[in-house]
Amino acid sequence: MVSQDKTAKVDFESLLRIFTVPEGPESTLTQIEDRLSLNLNEFLKEHIVAEEKPLREIEKDFNDSLLPESPSFVSEHTQHLLDTLVSHSVHTSSPSFIGHMTSALPYFLMPLSKIMIALNQNLVKIETSKAFTPLERQVLGMLHSLIYAQDDDFYAKWMHSAQHSLGAFCSGGTIANITALWVARNNAFPADGDFKGIEQQGIFKALKHYEYEGIAILVSERGHYSLKKAADVLGIGRESLIAVKTNENNKICLDDLEAKLVELESNRIKTIAVVGIAGTTETGNIDPLEDIAKQCQKHQCHFHVDAAWGGATLMSNKHRHLLAGIELADSVTIDAHKQLYIPMGAGMVLFKDPHAMASVEHHAAYILRKGSKDLGSHSLEGSRSGMAMLVYSSMHIISRPGYELLINEGLDKAQYFADLVSQQDDFELITDPELCLLTYRYIPARVRLALEKASGKNKHKLNELLNGLTQFIQKRQRENGLSFVSRTTLTPKQWDSMTTIVFRVVLANPLTTHGILNSVLNEQREIAKMAPSLHKQIDSLVSTIESKL
Ligand SMILES: *Cc1c(COP(=O)(O)O)cnc(C)c1O
């Protein structure tokens, strides 16, 4: 804890020092920096306490709402952070934490991000981000060419053009999705005669002018919740984000999509966009993008692909065919802070047509003047950091083939784990990995047989008990702090669409080994034994079911 010396006073001289000279080589902070750069993983392992502390306990360290009235020494405060904050942080970079889309980071991003923070450029306008603005435009160009592969002339013409934009760099997939749908909405209701465009006159007048009764966005039922937020902030309403059915592989059902498009049209509801998913958050599946593109063309609506997580697969020449059709999308979301191994706060949306973003262009008197190259004239966000620099650096340091190795490794590992799960007689694979994400659950052979044979109430009752067991295992595993898998709820067709709680695993950390995957299953098997009363209920229900056969 900080020894709060109540008599300590702030003086201007020492305040000036925090803006000029850092503490000497002996200071706690400098030592920590050295340790961080010498061996990041050791540092984290040493300082993060494995066993989970209840949130309520942690909150006690963050309970004082009064602003500090006396200053602390940097070293003292750093120690305070180590004790209260670092110690109970989640070890997201641990190779046995395989439940998140957040993975380990390459070491060079730590020192490079210090350069970024030191320069403190504001990407909203050229005035505060010379060099960073062209760099960010280049990064957008790189991602654009990864998706759309236009020729050199295209990029020479548009990448640095003041009036055009290949996309927007933003804080994440949520803002990227909102930006894409914002553009789609505005392009669907452009200025026409008296009407000055939806961006000027709003939804009510737009609908009246174009004689529509409403607006809709379509996405499969596996759509990310950020799309609901988008429908809400864009004034369309969450109910107007319409869920299209999925098939047994969690992919959008094309017949249902067509039916919904036709129905909306006949009700004079304007579908402003269909969203295809390239890597669903829960199961990692990819929609049939080529087919969706065809339907969008037929119905004249914007085709957006949410590839926040799966988009990085395009780096792999071996696997990029899985996303075939993405190049037909009008816009694509990619999160660099997921499978491009960039720290949090790096999302992008790319537009096929460099003119597409004109409908959201915004100018102001003192900045973002017409004809300026200010990125802020096309972005939802205002002041923004130079995060694109880290993407730029990673692209150069790792390079496309390096990313390909990382992606291929993740997919291979997911296949290995899927095979491993399938070989166990007390686990079952629920969804096969199409990318590096899969789901499974613990279910002893005898229980599985009973669940297959059971019907009606008993079947649901047994499934409920298994859900309880999955939940118990996942929670206890997290509390133990040795390893982590996440959990989600699915309605697998192989189990008659019963609500099924599953373990969810994302294998993007290159440091995760086959040995670790084996021990994750072993740990879950051991934890399963620690729920005797659940087992008793399961066993007795299984016996009842067996006796009826
Ligand atoms: C993660 C994710 C998002 C949201 O991205 P954030 O960066 O968390 O805002 C959107 N869509 C999909 C498919 C995602 O996986």
Side-chain angles (χ1 to χ4, degrees):
M1 292 296 291
V2 188
S3 57
Q4 286 277 356
D5 178 359
K6 295 294 175 203
T7 59
K9 288 262 190 318
V10 198
D11 67 273
F12 198 66
E13 287 293 304
S14 33
L15 270 186
L16 282 183
R17 269 202 302 280
I18 65 173
F19 287 93
T20 48
V21 272
E23 300 201 337
E26 297 302 312
S27 82
T28 315
L29 192 56
T30 314
Q31 283 173 16
I32 286 175
E33 277 192 289
D34 289 348
R35 300 268 330 280
L36 271 173
S37 40
L38 285 176
N39 197 335
L40 178 68
N41 286 318
E42 281 302 311
F43 177 86
L44 294 176
K45 213 152 77 189
E46 198 174 304
H47 286 280
I48 298 179
V49 179
E51 206 152 321
E52 197 179 73
K53 191 171 168 183
L55 192 57
R56 239 183 284 275
E57 287 298 306
I58 297 173
E59 280 167 354
K60 287 183 183 155
D61 284 328
F62 301 96
N63 239 352
D64 196 350
S65 62
L66 292 179
L67 289 167
E69 280 299 326
S70 58
S72 315
F73 287 110
V74 173
S75 294
E76 260 180 8
H77 179 70
T78 308
Q79 192 58 48
H80 169 68
L81 287 180
L82 285 181
D83 296 341
T84 57
L85 187 75
V86 179
S87 54
H88 303 298
S89 290
V90 175
H91 198 344
T92 52
S93 61
S94 161
S96 53
F97 278 44
I98 52 176
H100 288 137
M101 289 179 163
T102 319
S103 147
L105 296 173
Y107 85 93
F108 59 81
L109 290 173
M110 262 57 75
L112 286 180
S113 61
K114 280 177 74 174
I115 298 179
M116 175 191 101
I117 291 175
L119 291 169
N120 200 27
Q121 304 287 290
N122 185 350
L123 277 281
V124 74
K125 56 184 195 282
I126 293 266
E127 274 174 17
T128 50
S129 67
K130 239 162 97 185
F132 269 70
T133 294
L135 172 140
E136 187 171 289
R137 282 178 178 272
Q138 187 193 345
V139 167
L140 291 168
M142 286 174 174
L143 269 295
H144 192 281
S145 82
L146 180 69
I147 299 163
Y148 297 111
Q150 304 291 311
D151 58 18
D152 292 349
D153 289 347
F154 177 93
Y155 295 104
K157 188 162 177 193
W158 305 118
M159 203 157 67
H160 296 287
S161 163
Q163 273 82 29
H164 302 86
S165 178
L166 298 182
F169 197 99
C170 51
S171 68
T174 300
I175 303 294
N177 281 340
I178 292 175
T179 304
L181 296 172
W182 180 29
V183 168
R185 188 198 68 168
N186 289 6
N187 286 338
F189 298 97
D192 170 50
D194 289 349
F195 180 61
K196 294 187 213 136
I198 194 171
E199 68 275 21
Q200 294 295 347
Q201 298 193 286
I203 285 183
F204 186 71
K205 286 193 173 146
L207 292 179
K208 235 170 120 177
H209 179 81
Y210 284 98
E211 296 176 356
Y212 278 110
E213 301 287 320
I215 298 178
I217 299 168
L218 298 183
V219 67
S220 92
E221 45 194 9
R222 295 270 161 266
H224 190 263
Y225 62 83
S226 57
L227 299 168
K228 279 225 166 92
K229 294 186 183 175
D232 180 357
V233 299
L234 291 171
I236 294 161
R238 289 184 203 166
E239 281 185 7
S240 302
L241 179 76
I242 295 172
V244 181
K245 285 187 196 132
T246 47
N247 63 18
E248 64 283 3
N249 296 319
N250 295 292
K251 292 168 188 270
I252 196 167
C253 173
L254 292 164
D255 290 339
D256 191 43
L257 174 62
E258 176 66 17
K260 291 216 156 82
L261 282 166
V262 169
E263 191 193 332
L264 288 164
E265 240 162 45
S266 68
N267 290 333
R268 291 221 54 81
I269 291 174
K270 172 76 181 164
T271 300
I272 56 162
V274 175
V275 182
I277 313 167
T280 65
T281 314
E282 290 162 292
T283 61
N285 293 110
I286 303 157
D287 281 336
L289 304 177
E290 270 167 358
D291 297 314
I292 301 177
K294 273 188 208 135
Q295 264 163 323
C296 285
Q297 202 157 35
K298 182 173 156 201
H299 295 273
Q300 302 256 306
C301 76
H302 185 106
F303 176 29
H304 176 63
V305 172
D306 185 357
W309 177 71
T313 313
L314 295 170
M315 290 285 196
S316 164
N317 288 343
K318 184 174 171 196
H319 295 297
R320 66 168 291 148
H321 68 91
L322 293 168
L323 276 66
I326 196 168
E327 72 284 356
L328 303 170
D330 296 298
S331 57
V332 176
T333 287
I334 294 188
D335 258 347
H337 62 215
K338 286 180 179 162
Q339 292 196 82
L340 291 179
Y341 302 91
I342 302 296
M344 221 67 65
M348 275 167 279
V349 57
L350 290 312
F351 291 87
K352 185 176 195 171
D353 176 4
H355 301 86
M357 291 194 93
S359 63
V360 297
E361 201 172 302
H362 193 92
H363 296 286
Y366 63 107
I367 54 162
L368 320 181
R369 289 181 202 96
K370 271 206 167 111
S372 79
K373 295 193 172 181
D374 296 342
L375 290 161
S377 58
H378 289 105
S379 64
L380 178 59
E381 290 170 84
S383 297
R384 273 187 315 108
S385 73
M387 204 65 181
M389 174 192 140
L390 301 185
V391 180
Y392 177 84
S393 298
S394 293
M395 297 285 177
H396 281 90
I397 293 170
I398 297 174
S399 81
R400 205 274 317 150
Y403 274 112
E404 164 150 25
L405 288 177
L406 291 169
I407 296 288
N408 293 355
E409 165 82 10
L411 266 74
D412 288 348
K413 219 176 282 170
Q415 199 50 59
Y416 169 84
F417 194 48
D419 293 342
L420 186 68
V421 168
S422 304
Q423 285 156 18
Q424 315 298 313
D425 63 6
D426 49 359
F427 283 94
E428 75 162 326
L429 193 64
I430 299 285
T431 57
D432 245 326
E434 195 170 2
L435 297 173
C436 66
L437 196 165
L438 60 99
T439 65
Y440 66 102
R441 72 169 162 180
Y442 175 77
I443 176 168
R446 188 178 154 216
V447 182
R448 183 169 174 172
L449 206 64
L451 189 66
E452 279 166 6
K453 302 273 192 254
S455 56
K457 257 198 189 128
N458 280 344
K459 192 174 185 110
H460 282 273
K461 182 87 207 301
L462 187 53
N463 195 55
E464 277 307 305
L465 289 170
L466 283 167
N467 284 348
L469 188 57
T470 309
Q471 218 162 334
F472 170 84
I473 296 171
Q474 194 268 348
K475 185 159 177 278
R476 185 61 69 88
Q477 190 170 18
R478 192 191 73 208
E479 285 165 359
N480 287 352
L482 295 172
S483 58
F484 173 81
V485 305
S486 54
R487 67 162 196 260
T488 189
T489 305
L490 299 174
T491 51
K493 301 280 191 286
Q494 69 266 36
W495 287 117
D496 303 336
S497 302
M498 283 191 294
T499 301
T500 303
I501 297 180
V502 296
F503 303 124
R504 171 177 166 275
V505 156
V506 188
L507 291 165
N509 189 331
L511 304 174
T512 304
T513 59
H514 289 180
I516 289 174
L517 296 176
N518 277 279
S519 55
V520 164
L521 291 187
N522 287 334
E523 193 189 355
Q524 292 182 320
R525 190 175 278 130
E526 288 307 309
I527 295 173
K529 292 181 191 152
M530 296 171 190
S533 82
L534 257 176
H535 279 297
K536 226 162 132 188
Q537 292 176 65
I538 290 174
D539 285 345
S540 98
L541 186 54
V542 166
S543 303
T544 311
I545 292 166
E546 285 170 344
S547 69
K548 284 187 179 169
L549 295 176

